[in-house]
Amino acid sequence: MSDATAPTQPIEVRFRGGGFAPKARRWVGLFVFVLLIGITEIGTRQGWISSLTLPKPSDVLATFGELWESGLLFKHLLPSLSRLAVGAAIGASIGIAVGIMIGLFSYVRAGMVPLVAAIFPIPKIALLPLFVIWFGIDEASKYALIAFGTFTPTVVATYGAVDNVDRSLIRMGQSFGLSWLSIVRKIVLPGAMPGILSGLRISLAIAIILLVAAEMLGAEYGIGAYILEAGSLYDLERLFAGVVILSLLGVILSTVIGFIERRLLGWRA
Amino acid sequence: MDIRLDAISHSYGDTEVLRDISLDIPNGKIVCLVGPSGCGKSTLLRLIGGLERASKGRVLQLGNPPEGCLNPLTYVFQDFALLPWRSVQGNISLVLEDHGINGAQADAIIADVLARTKLSDFSKALPRQLSGGMKQRVAIARALAVKPAVMLMDEPLSALDSQTRELLMDDLVALWTRQSFTAAYVTHNLAEAVRLGHRIVVLSRRPGEVHEIVEIDMPLAQRSHGNAKLEQTQKHLWDMMRDEARAADEELLDV
Ligand SMILES: Nc1ncnc2c1ncn2[C@@H]1O[C@H](COP(=O)(O)OP(=O)(O)O)[C@@H](O)[C@H]1O
Ligand SMILES: [Mg+2]
């Protein structure tokens, strides 16, 4: 603009937009897994990773095969899955219900928010003995632990999501004379669904952690019991086989939620 | 059905927003409310539709709503207020479901209002796929679906660009000419007011009082863009509002 500087070559404007919009890159995740496992396999075979540090991935796979063939896999997996399903379903559904009530009613909010804040930071595992006294050593105490652990993060995510529902849409519903129930069902719930589902991702991961904790403290069968037994024998292959099952469980649950999100939240795009 | 505002005053805490507003919204006419921003136009509309209670005064319905009217006082909002997770069709059926209208009966109403707003080809589209003008037409179709006695329109065209606004004004005129509806139409755009209003109510700056009421007799269909007589009325309105608007602007700076 000023003529003080000598005319220079035109410079192309540097691109500085883009980014901040993650896209679906299907195979990258798989590639990372394969790479890490591949490095470990090579390392343990060549000896620069000592067999005391990490088991050979191929040995873990073999252990997995044995588990499968002996039928032990399902003997451990099925009780774990049913504990997870029952506990998480109870915790998440009560959590969503309470979260919505907190989002809708002033008195529930005033009463429950401090309570939830008080129980959120308690490590739920510490309460297992209490649950054993209340619900017995059997399944019920495990359900209760998992449910309790899933409950708090679900509540917090749900009422946050309800708070974020566009008020102008609710006003619209009222102005067309929709009933209270219709407004909750057709406007508040769908509007809160994105937040509820992302809360569920966290709650379900916590549920898996608590499942293992509960099974370590008292169960004959279950992934947690299997891992505990392997660990006490320093049987790294079996320990890792158990850990891999947990990781797979986590990946599967996260995929299922992703699928639900695509089904229910297609409108966001 | 007519609407009568009987000495409405309203305050939010210590802020007096509206003072002693009395006016009639006669059946089959469009009454435009204009005034500087912040003078309480939206508040007044919320009071008329029963979304808020006036501190003083009453809003009266004179006469009965027409046959088959599901929701006598129906809003069209500036930000459209469409549910993003429902299709065009679903957004309209939303307001019918609660009145027990489903299936073929609902489909017939939806087809009718979509035809009247020229949206028949878009019944399956989601709001995010529509342009601003089309979204507002969906909102108008939704309002028509409940056969309102009075439409309460809060700056329905303000979120749109000026070309789209012109087109939609034409659409509203055509809609009214085919089947006259009653409306309280809030705007800060005087061109819109002289184009659509049978009666224009000018409010003063906050606290909003009725400053003047201007009647325009010319039929809506004859009011074209750039009509000399309308330009004159618009200038008169602007002269009246300019000082109010400037004063209102400076008052906000004081706060
Ligand atoms: N819910 C509310 N609580 C407090 N003050 C409000 C509320 N709604 C509007 N106001 C105030 O009332 C005045 C009029 O607002 P509004 O009716 O939106 O004006 P307009 O639509 O004419 O621009 C403004 O000063 C605004 O700040
Ligand atoms: Mg306004």
Side-chain angles (χ1 to χ4, degrees):
Chain A
M1 261 128 266
S2 73
D3 46 10
T5 50
T8 50
Q9 285 291 312
I11 303 169
E12 197 180 340
V13 171
R14 189 172 57 87
F15 174 69
R16 49 185 172 170
F20 299 100
K23 297 188 190 65
R25 295 270 186 266
R26 257 167 205 289
W27 305 110
V28 177
L30 194 64
F31 175 76
V32 171
F33 275 111
V34 169
L35 187 74
L36 284 178
I37 293 170
I39 290 174
T40 319
E41 181 71 33
I42 294 168
T44 41
R45 269 176 201 275
Q46 294 186 345
W48 43 271
I49 299 178
S50 98
S51 58
L52 284 177
T53 328
L54 280 177
K56 242 188 263 171
S58 52
D59 286 348
V60 174
L61 193 68
T63 316
F64 214 80
E66 280 167 30
L67 257 179
W68 174 278
E69 270 163 19
S70 63
L72 267 179
L73 179 64
F74 287 100
K75 222 165 181 170
H76 287 296
L77 197 55
L78 289 181
S80 286
L81 284 181
S82 75
R83 282 167 197 146
L84 187 66
V86 173
I90 296 174
S93 48
I94 299 179
I96 290 174
V98 172
I100 288 173
M101 305 254 285
I102 290 178
L104 293 178
F105 304 109
S106 318
Y107 278 103
V108 181
R109 169 175 301 241
M112 289 296 291
V113 170
L115 187 63
V116 169
I119 57 179
F120 206 166
I122 301 174
K124 310 297 179 297
I125 301 166
L127 297 181
L128 188 63
L130 191 66
F131 285 132
V132 170
I133 296 171
W134 286 356
F135 300 106
I137 190 82
D138 292 334
E139 298 301 289
S141 57
K142 298 181 181 65
Y143 295 157
L145 181 75
I146 296 168
F148 197 44
T150 337
F151 170 76
T152 29
T154 310
V155 170
V156 172
T158 304
Y159 84 72
V162 173
D163 286 352
N164 273 332
V165 174
D166 189 349
R167 297 292 123 168
S168 70
L169 294 180
I170 295 177
R171 208 68 70 229
M172 181 277 294
Q174 291 176 321
S175 80
F176 277 94
L178 302 199
S179 67
W180 182 88
L181 203 66
S182 284
I183 291 179
V184 172
R185 260 182 48 224
K186 296 171 186 171
I187 299 177
V188 176
L189 261 185
M193 202 44 85
I196 293 177
L197 286 179
S198 64
L200 271 187
R201 271 180 198 279
I202 297 169
S203 311
L204 291 183
I206 292 177
I208 297 180
I209 295 173
L210 289 174
L211 164 75
V212 175
E215 288 179 342
M216 281 182 166
L217 285 171
E220 192 180 352
Y221 291 109
I223 317 271
Y226 177 78
I227 292 178
L228 185 72
E229 191 190 304
S232 60
L233 298 172
Y234 283 89
D235 186 342
L236 288 191
E237 280 86 22
R238 289 173 62 199
L239 181 79
F240 267 80
V243 169
V244 167
I245 294 175
L246 291 179
S247 297
L248 282 178
L249 209 55
V251 171
I252 290 170
L253 280 181
S254 152
T255 312
V256 168
I257 292 189
F259 179 75
I260 296 174
E261 278 179 343
R262 273 197 297 285
R263 278 299 303 276
L264 289 184
L265 307 181
W267 51 271
R268 283 195 307 183
Chain B
M1 190 181 93
D2 299 355
I3 294 285
R4 171 167 297 162
L5 307 191
D6 180 16
I8 296 278
S9 298
H10 193 67
S11 309
Y12 289 112
D14 292 336
T15 331
E16 189 180 11
V17 179
L18 293 166
R19 184 185 287 171
D20 196 27
I21 305 241
S22 292
L23 65 98
D24 278 351
I25 303 167
N27 193 28
K29 300 280 189 242
I30 300 178
V31 174
C32 287
L33 300 164
V34 299
S37 99
C39 76
K41 304 182 294 294
S42 301
T43 308
L44 188 60
L45 216 58
R46 286 198 297 274
L47 296 174
I48 299 176
L51 287 182
E52 253 176 84
R53 274 197 202 99
S55 317
K56 256 188 254 150
R58 295 176 304 167
V59 181
L60 304 169
Q61 297 185 11
L62 308 180
N64 291 319
E67 193 80 19
C69 168
L70 301 174
N71 190 47
L73 304 171
T74 298
Y75 285 89
V76 175
F77 299 94
Q78 179 177 354
D79 61 358
F80 323 130
L82 300 175
L83 300 185
W85 48 87
R86 284 200 178 212
S87 65
V88 168
Q89 202 176 354
N91 265 287
I92 300 173
S93 74
L94 173 81
V95 299
L96 298 174
E97 289 158 11
D98 262 46
H99 299 282
I101 298 178
N102 295 302
Q105 202 188 350
D107 291 344
I109 294 176
I110 293 169
D112 172 53
V113 294
L114 288 182
R116 279 159 73 188
T117 48
K118 297 184 284 186
L119 285 165
S120 302
D121 295 341
F122 303 96
S123 63
K124 298 272 189 299
L126 286 172
R128 71 175 153 86
Q129 301 170 299
L130 304 176
S131 67
M134 279 162 85
K135 281 186 206 160
Q136 194 55 292
R137 271 162 36 211
V138 176
I140 292 169
R142 177 178 62 188
L144 292 173
V146 292
K147 298 201 173 56
V150 179
M151 290 229 260
L152 304 171
M153 309 174 91
D154 191 357
E155 310 211 16
L157 308 185
S158 294
L160 308 173
D161 62 77
S162 59
Q163 289 93 324
T164 313
R165 198 181 306 161
E166 283 294 327
L167 292 176
L168 237 113
M169 268 197 265
D170 289 343
D171 289 344
L172 283 174
V173 168
L175 213 54
W176 188 88
T177 312
R178 251 190 65 184
Q179 194 178 345
S180 68
F181 55 84
T182 316
Y185 188 108
V186 166
T187 179
H188 62 249
N189 181 324
L190 298 178
E192 261 171 67
V194 296
R195 188 74 193 289
L196 297 171
H198 296 99
R199 176 180 289 180
I200 298 169
V201 179
V202 183
L203 297 178
S204 66
R205 67 177 189 271
R206 202 182 70 205
E209 287 179 280
V210 177
H211 197 72
E212 190 174 317
I213 297 181
V214 177
E215 307 268 351
I216 306 181
D217 293 332
M218 192 188 299
L220 291 193
Q222 288 172 23
R223 302 184 190 181
S224 54
H225 194 66
N227 180 306
K229 207 160 155 223
L230 292 182
E231 298 260 295
Q232 205 183 338
T233 315
Q234 189 176 335
K235 184 168 181 311
H236 170 66
L237 290 171
W238 174 231
D239 288 340
M240 207 170 356
M241 266 182 63
R242 185 167 40 209
D243 296 336
E244 290 288 333
R246 190 175 290 143
D249 208 35
E250 278 157 14
E251 259 168 31
L252 291 180
L253 290 178
D254 286 345
V255 175

